[in-house]
Amino acid sequence: MAKVPDTPENMKKCICGGCPSHDQCMKDKMEGFFCAKGKSSCDLAKNGCLCGACPLASDYRLDKMYYCEIGAAE
Ligand code: SF4
Ligand code: SF4
């Protein structure tokens, strides 16, 4: 597992916006790209996580999920 560089190119690849756990609070705060930006300030209801299907997960060999809860990948 590697640190995910917080670049605009990587941010565009993040699929958090289509995730069932990406709630209105996160949308209102324009939160996402949690594996690089760190955890969400919203109360998370776990309704599934799309990180496993994200291109960045394979690019950086991310082996966890719910980065909105656990914070940035190290
Ligand atoms: S691995 Fe998850 S948090 Fe990271 S960019 Fe992809 S969808 Fe977003
Ligand atoms: S980190 Fe996972 S659970 Fe959280 S919003 Fe992104 S895809 Fe959904």
Side-chain angles (χ1 to χ4, degrees):
M1 192 154 107
K3 225 170 170 356
V4 180
D6 183 2
T7 62
E9 292 72 31
N10 280 345
M11 188 145 81
K12 273 187 225 143
K13 294 185 190 167
C14 176
I15 56 174
C16 285
C19 170
S21 301
H22 196 264
D23 63 10
Q24 196 59 48
C25 172
M26 294 177 187
K27 293 184 197 308
D28 288 346
K29 294 185 173 181
M30 313 253 284
E31 288 185 351
F33 194 24
F34 301 105
C35 62
K37 299 270 190 197
K39 64 174 95 166
S40 173
S41 63
C42 300
D43 288 326
L44 178 70
K46 286 188 180 172
N47 292 317
C49 176
L50 299 184
C51 289
C54 175
L56 293 178
S58 29
D59 287 356
Y60 297 99
R61 293 186 212 169
L62 304 183
D63 56 5
K64 299 204 173 81
M65 307 251 276
Y66 290 104
Y67 292 97
C68 52
E69 178 178 58
I70 65 173
E74 296 297 336

